[in-house]
Amino acid sequence: MSLSLQQLQQAVRTATALRCRLRLQPAGGPGTKVFPPTYEGGRYALEERRMPGYDHPVRCVLMDSVQSQANRMEEALQQAVDDGRLALPLVEVDFTPYFPGNGQPEDMRLLEPIGRVSSLQAPHRIVDAILRDSVVIQEQGKPFRSSNVKQESSYGRRLREAAAHHATPLFELCPTALLFGMWDSTGPKGGLGAKFERAMVSEIVGINAVLGAKTSSRIDPLGIQLKAGPLYRTPPTEPLGWTLDPGKAVKDNKGRHVLLGTGRTSEATGRPSEANHGNVTPTISERDRQGEFLGGGVTIDYAEQSIVLSLPALRRLRFPINGQHNPKADEAAWTVLAALGLCAAILADDAGLDLRSRCLLWPQEPLKWELLGRPGEIQSDIVLDAEAALRLFMEAVDEARKCGLPWRTTPLQLQPAPELVKLVVKSQQLAQSQGTQEE
């Protein structure tokens, strides 16, 4: 069965949650190795869990975290906005004027174009430092956020007021922050900035995981030998970046020729492999203290995606209009956020579960929702495709507008502050000269 606007309106008033549990298999078939995300030390996030169908705790591995799933859902929403399928309030920073060749001074000229960064793409949503350190075009270049309230844009001043009992500013500018959570810790109030819990939580876990080994090797068709070096680093003006002639090499501050590698004489090796030449000896992944392989992928019985949309979390939010509280406006806003959550999950799953290299998962069944109503009441087998979810969302937005709630359909346009552009340019220059990208 599907879900009507009236049913969703009733659910946000009284129900507990909308949830989905989806069983997945590796695209290569059962038993195919897949690669979870790695954490410090090349380790996977392993833990024992009690799972239905097992009479004992089983070892599980995190395939995609709550944070990563939220980012994938935001990416899917951004794609729907870009495709014209969805109109959603966004804040957007435009780096386009600083593209190479646009006539900017050297310290304001990007080496690699960035384009636009929206509140759906910034790591901390509307309170991210990228947006904070930008200016509002339509307000004569006023800072979007500022510690000085007199210099701050009108939008930044509204965000100062955001709280659970006054969520209207976020509903107007960045409703996804109310869905996926937000902490305004880098804003004018610092650690006292507004906090909003996640109402939408999703993760993917691999069940009954067995760790595998990773091997690597390379045969160089040129047959370049290790002893053919050492190679030295050359100035940026040289085309290859390396030379066998120490007379052409750059020197460090002590006058020593710099070997190719990290750029530090004491650490660089000068081996041909530093320039990606030569054979690579076949290797197998390291083991941890318990003797298990690190970073070699896993085999699993299956993977499971669990999605929960908390309706009580939405009901804690209030949406006053012009300082006046209206229960109907609250309910209309809750309905919009719930419909937005359904759209985010369904669009993300429609985009496919290609989580990373060698980790493509395939759903064994369609995405089905359960509505947890009053105690003991479950409405199951709710199926929505992307078009039905988008229609439901637009109907909910129309009702919210009738209640007087603000809803922007075009992005609030920002430009990066000059100092932010210079910081990005300098970082790109360092990355180019070092051959590495620092985080």
Side-chain angles (χ1 to χ4, degrees), residues 76-150:
L77 290 174
Q78 180 71 59
Q79 188 62 55
V81 171
D82 294 341
D83 292 343
R85 302 172 69 193
L86 179 66
L88 187 67
L90 296 175
V91 182
E92 192 173 75
V93 185
D94 187 8
F95 284 82
T96 305
Y98 307 99
F99 276 8
N102 277 6
Q104 297 288 348
E106 186 174 356
D107 63 348
M108 299 279 284
R109 192 182 307 146
L110 296 171
L111 303 181
E112 286 293 324
I114 293 176
R116 292 178 169 84
V117 179
S118 81
S119 47
L120 282 171
Q121 298 163 319
H124 296 96
R125 305 182 177 96
I126 194 171
V127 295
D128 194 84
I130 297 172
L131 280 65
R132 182 200 65 199
D133 296 336
S134 297
V135 299
V136 180
I137 297 173
Q138 68 188 54
E139 293 191 0
Q140 291 74 49
K142 277 192 172 185
F144 179 57
R145 311 289 306 276
S146 175
S147 57
N148 186 333
V149 67
K150 293 182 179 179

Side-chain angles (χ1 to χ4, degrees), residues 73-379:
M73 291 182 186
E74 290 170 302
E75 181 182 349
L77 290 174
Q78 180 71 59
Q79 188 62 55
V81 171
D82 294 341
D83 292 343
R85 302 172 69 193
L86 179 66
L88 187 67
L90 296 175
V91 182
E92 192 173 75
V93 185
D94 187 8
F95 284 82
T96 305
Y98 307 99
F99 276 8
N102 277 6
Q104 297 288 348
E106 186 174 356
D107 63 348
M108 299 279 284
R109 192 182 307 146
L110 296 171
L111 303 181
E112 286 293 324
I114 293 176
R116 292 178 169 84
V117 179
S118 81
S119 47
L120 282 171
Q121 298 163 319
H124 296 96
R125 305 182 177 96
I126 194 171
V127 295
D128 194 84
I130 297 172
L131 280 65
R132 182 200 65 199
D133 296 336
S134 297
V135 299
V136 180
I137 297 173
Q138 68 188 54
E139 293 191 0
Q140 291 74 49
K142 277 192 172 185
F144 179 57
R145 311 289 306 276
S146 175
S147 57
N148 186 333
V149 67
K150 293 182 179 179
Q151 296 179 355
E152 193 171 42
S153 72
S154 63
Y155 301 98
R157 290 196 296 272
R158 267 178 264 176
L159 284 178
R160 286 175 180 258
E161 302 171 359
H165 64 273
H166 184 54
T168 313
L170 283 174
F171 188 82
E172 176 187 4
L173 297 172
C174 184
T176 47
L178 300 171
L179 193 61
F180 298 115
M182 187 197 82
W183 181 20
D184 191 11
S185 61
T186 62
K189 296 181 180 179
L192 296 177
K195 289 184 180 181
F196 293 87
E197 68 170 289
R198 293 180 186 272
M200 189 86 173
V201 176
S202 175
E203 69 171 358
I204 300 177
V205 176
I207 311 301
N208 205 16
V210 177
L211 298 183
K214 179 173 67 175
T215 59
S216 63
S217 65
R218 185 182 69 197
I219 302 299
D220 184 1
L222 301 181
I224 293 175
Q225 300 291 309
L226 173 65
K227 293 182 179 179
L231 307 185
Y232 296 92
R233 183 179 297 278
T234 58
T237 53
E238 295 295 321
L240 296 181
W242 62 268
T243 181
L244 286 164
D245 184 357
K248 296 180 180 179
V250 297
K251 296 181 179 181
D252 64 13
N253 54 14
K254 294 183 179 180
R256 296 173 297 184
H257 299 113
V258 177
L259 292 169
L260 192 66
T262 64
R264 300 175 184 174
T265 306
S266 61
E267 298 178 8
T269 66
R271 290 186 292 234
S273 60
E274 298 284 5
N276 296 313
H277 288 297
N279 296 331
V280 174
T281 304
T283 60
I284 193 166
S285 54
E286 297 179 2
R287 297 175 184 262
D288 62 16
R289 292 180 180 179
Q290 286 73 43
E292 294 189 303
F293 288 111
L294 294 173
V298 298
T299 52
I300 54 178
D301 284 354
Y302 62 94
E304 185 176 76
Q305 181 183 23
S306 60
I307 310 170
V308 177
L309 175 57
S310 170
L311 300 177
L314 299 182
R315 289 197 288 269
R316 294 191 189 102
L317 303 174
R318 295 292 179 268
F319 299 87
I321 302 171
N322 297 323
Q324 300 297 316
H325 177 241
N326 181 354
K328 290 186 178 180
D330 291 344
E331 293 178 7
W334 301 338
T335 307
V336 169
L337 294 173
L340 181 58
L342 291 171
C343 283
I346 293 166
L347 290 168
D349 270 50
D350 273 9
L353 298 170
D354 192 358
L355 304 182
R356 64 194 60 84
S357 177
R358 298 184 67 182
C359 193
L360 174 60
L361 301 176
W362 174 71
Q364 293 182 250
E365 56 191 348
L367 201 65
K368 294 181 180 180
W369 297 87
E370 293 179 315
L371 176 61
L372 309 185
R374 300 182 186 278
E377 294 181 0
I378 298 180
Q379 183 179 337

Side-chain angles (χ1 to χ4, degrees), residues 377-394:
E377 294 181 0
I378 298 180
Q379 183 179 337
S380 58
D381 291 338
I382 298 171
V383 177
L384 288 170
D385 62 18
E387 295 309 316
L390 289 169
R391 284 195 301 271
L392 180 62
F393 171 71
M394 288 185 284

Side-chain angles (χ1 to χ4, degrees), residues 14-26:
T14 61
T16 297
L18 280 157
R19 75 178 179 193
C20 175
R21 296 175 73 92
L22 184 64
R23 184 169 287 210
L24 315 165
Q25 281 286 357

